[in-house]
Amino acid sequence: MKALITGITGFAGSHLADYIVENHPDVEVYGIIRWRSRRENIEHLEGRIKLVEGDIRDYISVKKVLEEVRPDLIFHLAAQSFVPTSWRAPQETLTTNILGQTNIFEAVRELGLSPSIQIAGSSEEYGLVKEDEVPIKETNPLRPLSPYAVSKIAQDFLGYQYFMSYRMNIVRTRGFNHTGPRRGEVFVCSNFAKQIVEIEKGIRPPVIKVGNLDAVRDFTDVRDMVRGYWLAATRGEAGEVYNLCSGRGYKISEVLQNLLSLSRAKVKVEQDPSRLRPSDVPVLIGDYSKFKERTGWEPRIPFEKTLEDLLNYWRERI
Ligand code: GDD
């Protein structure tokens, strides 16, 4: 069996490759890679995965990759995934996320392939959630507050539409926040962890820059998240959509306190106005019972362990 991962050099993609290599040795793992992509997240997998050059924004190259690999499973994780970038460059976010996915679907169709495809949607799709709608179920209205969220809704609904129109085996996941080692430094937990480690090492004055600390997010360890992606593709019901989350909400101020409690650094907290967003989703806490019922999935790694691993990741790198 062959699995193709888009976004394999990224955070979730590299962890998914680790998961498949370790747990499903009968599966050949392929990844799409752009020629200028950084490879540090997958260097340790050299010889155990196969990389094929391509760019999801370019239909011809997507078709060439799919023709060469002919995958049984596709995990579509490549995306512009940082919410603030989507206000600075909405066109780029919409192109990469929506057209990128359409290129994959069209190439699958044109080549007559029938892989199971997992689409990485996001809790950002829910956007403005009302107090009485928490924990959020898949049936909740979608009220997007960023171009990124709109792009993920488009991906999500294209997944539904291609299933309905062509009976393609598409399973949509709505992943809530996830973090852990290798997380890009712009995302909140990783950003705070990196600043704390820089303060520990004396290369940054003891002041942590932060954005909106009042937002509430539901965090899952990336290693649990990618196990969920695997289960979605292999045991999810085609055409369906599933929340992947922990069901527990943390205020971002709590996340900061948790990280600080794992360090000896003494810090002052300072708000940096450039970190505030035109509209920030106030609360995201999910309900994963639909996915649990179908696949048995539950997150296993406690948030404290995830944060500790993240701090240690930065301690090793800085
Ligand atoms: N990045 C960042 N940096 N966020 C901060 C900061 C800061 O200094 N201070 C506070 N925050 C707040 C943000 O305003 C937001 O409310 C929350 O921390 C989380 O921010 P991010 O880590 O950037 O993630 P996100 O929630 O915007 O989006 C992530 O989760 C989505 C799933 O809900 C991304 O991983 C998306 O790709 C993903 O779809």
Side-chain angles (χ1 to χ4, degrees):
M1 186 146 83
K2 292 177 182 176
L4 176 67
I5 303 174
T6 73
I8 196 166
T9 56
F11 171 56
S14 65
H15 281 284
L16 177 62
D18 283 343
Y19 170 80
I20 301 176
V21 165
E22 276 161 34
N23 297 282
H24 302 280
D26 51 318
V27 175
E28 287 176 67
V29 178
Y30 288 79
I32 302 189
I33 185 155
R34 279 178 295 165
W35 65 271
R36 57 188 174 82
S37 296
R38 294 175 64 155
R39 298 184 185 205
E40 59 196 344
N41 288 342
I42 50 167
E43 262 162 10
H44 62 285
L45 287 171
E46 213 185 317
R48 288 187 288 168
I49 58 173
K50 298 190 179 86
L51 300 175
V52 194
E53 226 169 85
D55 186 331
I56 59 159
R57 290 168 301 191
D58 171 21
Y59 179 65
I60 302 294
S61 90
V62 170
K63 195 173 161 203
K64 209 165 139 253
V65 169
L66 288 179
E67 199 163 18
E68 190 182 323
V69 178
R70 307 188 80 81
D72 305 286
L73 296 171
I74 297 178
F75 297 91
H76 179 41
L77 308 183
Q80 191 306 95
S81 65
F82 188 45
V83 175
T85 298
S86 77
W87 279 289
R88 282 193 290 271
Q91 300 93 328
E92 195 233 326
T93 301
L94 297 172
T95 305
T96 303
N97 297 2
I98 305 174
L99 296 185
Q101 182 176 289
T102 309
N103 284 337
I104 294 167
F105 285 175
E106 280 301 303
V108 165
R109 228 164 64 74
E110 219 186 301
L111 292 165
L113 306 175
S114 49
S116 293
I117 307 175
Q118 175 259 341
I119 295 305
S122 164
S123 53
E124 270 288 301
E125 293 174 48
Y126 296 115
L128 190 65
V129 172
K130 298 183 181 160
E131 256 171 52
D132 62 353
E133 293 173 338
V134 170
I136 308 160
K137 284 192 181 292
E138 290 82 351
T139 46
N140 212 75
L142 307 177
R143 306 184 191 100
L145 295 181
S146 64
Y148 168 79
V150 173
S151 78
K152 285 286 152 182
I153 292 176
Q155 283 190 241
D156 188 326
F157 283 8
L158 279 165
Y160 175 75
Q161 179 254 311
Y162 271 73
F163 166 74
M164 291 303 285
S165 302
Y166 309 115
R167 294 291 137 180
M168 278 168 57
N169 296 318
I170 297 165
V171 177
R172 297 162 287 145
T173 52
R174 290 189 188 142
F176 285 59
N177 293 59
H178 43 292
T179 190
R182 298 185 209 146
R183 185 47 148 163
E185 62 182 88
V186 289
F187 298 93
V188 72
C189 300
S190 197
N191 187 276
F192 290 175
K194 184 174 181 229
Q195 291 189 63
I196 290 169
V197 171
E198 285 171 350
I199 293 167
E200 284 177 356
K201 303 214 176 200
I203 53 178
R204 168 187 284 274
V207 181
I208 292 212
K209 303 275 187 190
V210 301
N212 171 23
L213 294 184
D214 292 329
V216 174
R217 290 290 187 275
D218 173 331
F219 290 94
T220 298
D221 190 287
V222 64
R223 293 158 288 197
D224 282 326
M225 189 57 76
V226 298
R227 185 166 46 81
Y229 291 166
W230 171 266
L231 288 171
T234 56
R235 289 207 232 147
E237 187 179 343
E240 282 302 323
V241 62
Y242 299 100
N243 282 342
L244 267 64
C245 52
S246 75
R248 160 110 209 243
Y250 288 87
K251 250 192 177 191
I252 301 302
S253 56
E254 258 181 280
V255 174
L256 177 59
Q257 286 316 316
N258 284 355
L259 279 166
L260 287 171
S261 72
L262 297 167
S263 167
R264 274 178 295 179
K266 294 274 165 285
V267 307
K268 218 177 102 200
V269 177
E270 201 172 276
Q271 193 172 69
D272 169 0
S274 74
R275 291 174 184 244
L276 300 175
R277 304 174 178 192
S279 45
D280 198 12
V281 172
V283 178
L284 289 175
I285 304 171
D287 176 335
Y288 62 87
S289 53
K290 181 179 172 188
F291 192 53
K292 183 181 173 192
E293 206 164 292
R294 174 79 190 185
T295 66
W297 180 87
E298 273 191 289
R300 293 175 184 154
I301 304 173
F303 191 37
E304 288 64 33
K305 160 91 175 121
T306 307
L307 293 180
E308 202 174 344
D309 289 353
L310 184 54
L311 278 167
N312 288 333
Y313 166 76
W314 284 114
R315 287 179 181 129
E316 276 163 32
R317 286 171 63 92
I318 294 174

mmCIF file of all heavy atoms in Angstrom, residues 22 37 47 60 62 92 135 168 199 206 210 249 276 296:
data_model
loop_
_atom_site.group_PDB
_atom_site.id
_atom_site.type_symbol
_atom_site.label_atom_id
_atom_site.label_comp_id
_atom_site.label_asym_id
_atom_site.label_seq_id
_atom_site.Cartn_x
_atom_site.Cartn_y
_atom_site.Cartn_z
ATOM 1 N N GLU A 22 6.633 4.132 11.660
ATOM 2 C CA GLU A 22 6.778 3.349 12.906
ATOM 3 C C GLU A 22 5.672 2.300 13.078
ATOM 4 O O GLU A 22 5.927 1.225 13.593
ATOM 5 C CB GLU A 22 6.747 4.277 14.118
ATOM 6 C CG GLU A 22 8.107 4.884 14.419
ATOM 7 C CD GLU A 22 8.003 6.120 15.304
ATOM 8 O OE1 GLU A 22 7.103 6.163 16.172
ATOM 9 O OE2 GLU A 22 8.822 7.042 15.107
ATOM 10 N N SER A 37 11.961 23.605 -0.556
ATOM 11 C CA SER A 37 11.471 23.350 0.811
ATOM 12 C C SER A 37 12.609 22.973 1.741
ATOM 13 O O SER A 37 13.527 22.245 1.355
ATOM 14 C CB SER A 37 10.494 22.175 0.817
ATOM 15 O OG SER A 37 9.365 22.465 0.085
ATOM 16 N N GLY A 47 15.789 7.593 3.533
ATOM 17 C CA GLY A 47 15.883 6.161 3.217
ATOM 18 C C GLY A 47 14.623 5.395 3.581
ATOM 19 O O GLY A 47 14.406 4.283 3.132
ATOM 20 N N ILE A 60 -0.118 20.624 -13.520
ATOM 21 C CA ILE A 60 0.679 19.667 -14.309
ATOM 22 C C ILE A 60 1.591 18.858 -13.376
ATOM 23 O O ILE A 60 1.714 17.635 -13.501
ATOM 24 C CB ILE A 60 1.539 20.420 -15.364
ATOM 25 C CG1 ILE A 60 0.648 21.259 -16.282
ATOM 26 C CG2 ILE A 60 2.410 19.453 -16.167
ATOM 27 C CD1 ILE A 60 -0.287 20.479 -17.168
ATOM 28 N N VAL A 62 1.192 18.298 -10.155
ATOM 29 C CA VAL A 62 0.391 17.426 -9.271
ATOM 30 C C VAL A 62 0.015 16.157 -10.028
ATOM 31 O O VAL A 62 0.136 15.031 -9.521
ATOM 32 C CB VAL A 62 -0.883 18.158 -8.789
ATOM 33 C CG1 VAL A 62 -1.836 17.207 -8.077
ATOM 34 C CG2 VAL A 62 -0.522 19.324 -7.868
ATOM 35 N N GLU A 92 -2.781 34.732 -1.705
ATOM 36 C CA GLU A 92 -1.868 33.580 -1.648
ATOM 37 C C GLU A 92 -2.486 32.435 -0.834
ATOM 38 O O GLU A 92 -2.419 31.265 -1.207
ATOM 39 C CB GLU A 92 -0.542 34.027 -1.014
ATOM 40 C CG GLU A 92 0.580 33.043 -1.218
ATOM 41 C CD GLU A 92 1.258 32.644 0.065
ATOM 42 O OE1 GLU A 92 1.367 33.481 0.981
ATOM 43 O OE2 GLU A 92 1.659 31.469 0.168
ATOM 44 N N PRO A 135 -19.298 22.417 24.003
ATOM 45 C CA PRO A 135 -18.292 22.055 23.000
ATOM 46 C C PRO A 135 -18.909 21.908 21.612
ATOM 47 O O PRO A 135 -20.037 21.450 21.464
ATOM 48 C CB PRO A 135 -17.748 20.714 23.518
ATOM 49 C CG PRO A 135 -18.851 20.134 24.344
ATOM 50 C CD PRO A 135 -19.606 21.298 24.919
ATOM 51 N N MET A 168 -15.983 10.188 -4.728
ATOM 52 C CA MET A 168 -14.581 10.007 -4.333
ATOM 53 C C MET A 168 -14.518 9.741 -2.832
ATOM 54 O O MET A 168 -15.326 10.252 -2.064
ATOM 55 C CB MET A 168 -13.768 11.270 -4.709
ATOM 56 C CG MET A 168 -13.373 11.238 -6.191
ATOM 57 S SD MET A 168 -12.727 12.798 -6.845
ATOM 58 C CE MET A 168 -11.357 13.124 -5.785
ATOM 59 N N ILE A 199 15.312 33.339 26.751
ATOM 60 C CA ILE A 199 15.528 34.040 28.023
ATOM 61 C C ILE A 199 16.364 33.155 28.947
ATOM 62 O O ILE A 199 17.320 33.620 29.575
ATOM 63 C CB ILE A 199 14.177 34.433 28.662
ATOM 64 C CG1 ILE A 199 13.486 35.497 27.804
ATOM 65 C CG2 ILE A 199 14.375 34.951 30.094
ATOM 66 C CD1 ILE A 199 12.015 35.753 28.126
ATOM 67 N N PRO A 206 14.579 39.547 29.662
ATOM 68 C CA PRO A 206 13.510 38.727 30.256
ATOM 69 C C PRO A 206 12.102 39.308 30.076
ATOM 70 O O PRO A 206 11.362 39.497 31.036
ATOM 71 C CB PRO A 206 13.902 38.664 31.732
ATOM 72 C CG PRO A 206 14.728 39.874 31.960
ATOM 73 C CD PRO A 206 15.397 40.233 30.672
ATOM 74 N N VAL A 210 3.643 39.140 23.711
ATOM 75 C CA VAL A 210 2.441 38.337 23.504
ATOM 76 C C VAL A 210 1.393 39.120 22.716
ATOM 77 O O VAL A 210 1.473 40.341 22.615
ATOM 78 C CB VAL A 210 1.813 37.896 24.856
ATOM 79 C CG1 VAL A 210 2.801 37.081 25.682
ATOM 80 C CG2 VAL A 210 1.301 39.103 25.644
ATOM 81 N N GLY A 249 -10.629 23.330 26.932
ATOM 82 C CA GLY A 249 -10.188 24.659 26.501
ATOM 83 C C GLY A 249 -9.213 25.289 27.475
ATOM 84 O O GLY A 249 -9.361 25.126 28.690
ATOM 85 N N LEU A 276 -1.765 41.449 17.538
ATOM 86 C CA LEU A 276 -3.229 41.401 17.628
ATOM 87 C C LEU A 276 -3.817 41.263 16.222
ATOM 88 O O LEU A 276 -3.246 41.769 15.263
ATOM 89 C CB LEU A 276 -3.750 42.660 18.316
ATOM 90 C CG LEU A 276 -3.220 42.864 19.749
ATOM 91 C CD1 LEU A 276 -3.690 44.205 20.320
ATOM 92 C CD2 LEU A 276 -3.652 41.719 20.671
ATOM 93 N N GLY A 296 -12.709 4.918 17.510
ATOM 94 C CA GLY A 296 -12.128 4.635 18.821
ATOM 95 C C GLY A 296 -11.054 5.634 19.237
ATOM 96 O O GLY A 296 -10.488 5.550 20.321
#
